[in-house]
Amino acid sequence: MTLTSRLKEIAHRHGFDVVRIAEASPLVDAARTMHTRLASGHLDGMPWLTHERIDLATSPQKLLEGAKSFISLGISYLGVRERPPAVPGNPRGRIARYAWGRDYHDVLKDLTIQVRDELISACAKPLRARIFVDTSPLAERAVAERAGTGWFGKNTMILTPRVGSFTLLTTILVDVELDPDLPLGKSCGSCTRCITACPTGALVAPGVLNAPTCISFHTIENRGSIPRELRHLFGDWIFGCDDCQEVCPVNRRAVEGRLATLRAYQDDDAFPALHQLLAMDDQQFRVRYRGSAVTRTKRRGLVRNACVALGNLRDEASVGPLLSVVHDPSSDVTVRGHAAWALGRIGGRRARSGLEKASSEAYLHQGRWGKAVAAGSALDPAELEYATELNAALSLATTH
């Protein structure tokens, strides 16, 4: 048995659905594309993604001296859990499938380490290896395309035969030559369902994602205010978004993921009760989401996202919980602003009254609130943003 065959047997035994090999030469096409995307503003909001990082991510010799082969590993995270029946007064949000269970970074790293260690034991000569799991500086999707793990879909995902786009990728870069696989040479043809399905129009062209309008970007990476012109398009997504994957024909035949650690074991893992999220403090957030990818957005971000979802669901039972956020002076001012927006979306006498009270409180607190909003400079930026949110929410509430 060759070392390559032995490697694939090891990886499959550890639960990986796809194991492919590629030559570790520079990823020239990927570098060109990523530099173009960065220069065009499609990657704005991710300050760590620089031209220097792109050069590193596409230069395997800079990542591992003497690198010869990429090992591209893919595993399905497709979970199946039906949305619980709607209960009046208990609205729920949605979390993207990949974050239903344990943090996939930890799961994949543990599995990949086991594969690497067995590969080293099986190799007849010393072997050096480096592991990459998503956050590491490597263009892993470009590696996966070269290795034939899948092909680039128009939603920018890697589409893998049998697994579809619900594929988590990890890569091992090694300094030994393995037998390379060929790219699949497939494409999505004339299908544009993912582009049409994107609620915010973030897929601006086939294979081109504009991060500043993407739901996943804002609910996970954006630490500030979500643009008001986008919020009504977010639906009930509070962490990530799967809309462009749900409509993909390739996923109709995708196998369900086998890893138990990535599954949702209760409704709240996939469809959290939003009022409970608003009431959580930092300690409760840490306990509930310990070991989950959801921690990336932090409690502040998750509560902000929950406010947006409540505004879109427009359940009058949410007015009380949202007013509690707006009137809590210890709550983050950006979160309070999003709660105010949600109240404006829901509308009704109680919501308007609460917003008017909040405006009065803000006026008394600042003394010069009205003038400050008009001048646009007398308040600190956070307070000015909140004042603007309150004004916009009051105007919105009068139409509902």
Side-chain angles (χ1 to χ4, degrees):
M1 179 182 289
T2 66
L3 183 60
T4 302
S5 299
R6 177 71 176 134
L7 161 68
K8 293 187 175 184
E9 183 274 325
I10 291 169
H12 284 304
R13 176 159 44 80
H14 282 289
F16 286 100
D17 295 296
V18 188
V19 190
R20 305 280 287 191
I21 312 298
E23 177 190 357
S25 57
L27 299 161
V28 179
D29 291 343
R32 186 182 303 112
T33 298
M34 293 171 72
H35 282 302
T36 300
R37 300 281 190 273
L38 183 60
S40 67
H42 290 144
L43 302 175
D44 284 357
M46 294 177 279
W48 64 88
L49 194 50
T50 62
H51 289 291
E52 292 75 19
R53 185 178 177 91
I54 291 171
D55 287 337
L56 179 62
T58 54
S59 305
Q61 294 299 325
K62 293 181 180 179
L63 297 170
L64 179 70
E65 186 178 354
K68 299 274 180 48
S69 301
F70 284 118
I71 304 168
S72 177
L73 306 169
I75 196 164
S76 171
Y77 68 89
L78 177 59
V80 178
R81 190 173 190 88
E82 295 297 325
R83 190 186 186 98
V87 176
N90 185 33
R92 293 181 177 273
R94 278 194 291 173
I95 288 176
R97 274 186 170 91
Y98 80 85
W100 283 5
R102 188 179 160 211
D103 190 336
Y104 71 95
H105 298 92
D106 299 331
V107 174
L108 261 66
K109 187 172 183 179
D110 290 346
L111 290 174
T112 309
I113 287 173
Q114 294 176 52
V115 172
R116 179 204 63 188
D117 290 350
E118 287 198 40
L119 175 63
I120 290 173
S121 298
C123 190
K125 61 180 182 178
L127 179 153
R128 294 172 60 243
R130 183 173 177 182
I131 291 172
F132 302 87
V133 184
D134 191 27
T135 56
S136 305
L138 175 66
E140 288 189 77
R141 295 185 189 184
V143 171
E145 181 187 39
R146 175 186 287 181
T149 302
W151 72 94
F152 269 108
K154 292 178 182 177
N155 59 3
T156 76
M157 304 289 185
I158 289 294
L159 304 184
T160 304
R162 262 188 358 103
V163 181
S165 65
F166 295 106
T167 309
L168 296 172
L169 299 173
T170 180
T171 308
I172 308 175
L173 183 58
V174 296
D175 64 352
V176 297
E177 289 187 2
L178 298 170
D179 302 327
D181 293 296
L182 296 175
L184 296 181
K186 291 188 175 183
S187 75
C188 298
S190 61
C191 180
T192 57
R193 294 185 188 185
C194 58
I195 296 174
T196 303
C198 180
T200 61
L203 291 168
V204 294
V208 182
L209 176 70
N210 183 45
T213 54
C214 175
I215 292 175
S216 287
F217 166 76
H218 283 293
T219 56
I220 300 172
E221 303 295 344
N222 181 4
R223 298 291 183 256
S225 179
I226 297 171
R228 277 195 297 277
E229 65 271 17
L230 293 179
R231 295 175 195 170
H232 71 285
L233 302 171
F234 280 34
D236 55 1
W237 290 110
I238 64 167
F239 188 89
C241 175
D242 286 335
D243 282 350
C244 66
Q245 299 190 82
E246 299 286 358
V247 299
C248 179
V250 178
N251 287 328
R252 292 176 185 168
R253 299 178 294 277
V255 296
E256 186 174 349
R258 294 176 291 164
L259 276 185
T261 50
L262 298 177
R263 295 176 186 162
Y265 283 94
Q266 52 187 356
D267 290 339
D268 280 345
D269 293 339
F271 307 99
L274 296 174
H275 294 171
Q276 292 179 14
L277 297 185
L278 262 59
M280 278 194 313
D281 59 26
D282 286 335
Q283 176 62 20
Q284 290 168 330
F285 173 80
R286 285 192 292 269
V287 170
R288 176 168 175 174
Y289 288 108
R290 182 179 292 122
S292 162
V294 176
T295 57
R296 182 167 179 82
T297 194
K298 305 186 185 303
R299 185 192 72 87
R300 172 183 179 275
L302 193 64
V303 175
R304 176 203 61 186
N305 300 342
C307 289
V308 172
L310 288 171
N312 290 329
L313 293 171
R314 300 174 70 175
D315 185 333
E316 290 189 4
S318 300
V319 170
L322 288 166
L323 284 174
S324 295
V325 174
V326 168
H327 293 305
D328 179 5
S330 67
S331 184
D332 180 88
V333 70
T334 298
V335 174
R336 292 169 70 192
H338 285 69
W341 176 86
L343 288 166
R345 283 274 289 174
I346 295 170
R349 181 179 300 176
R350 188 182 177 200
R352 286 194 298 272
S353 176
L355 288 169
E356 289 167 355
K357 181 182 177 183
S359 295
S360 298
E361 290 172 349
Y363 179 85
L364 292 172
H365 177 66
Q366 292 296 332
R368 309 184 315 279
W369 183 73
K371 293 181 180 179
V373 173
S377 59
L379 295 176
D380 69 69
E383 290 293 345
L384 179 57
E385 178 189 345
Y386 179 53
T388 305
E389 290 279 13
L390 283 172
N391 270 353
L394 276 168
S395 296
L396 189 60
T398 60
T399 65
H400 296 303

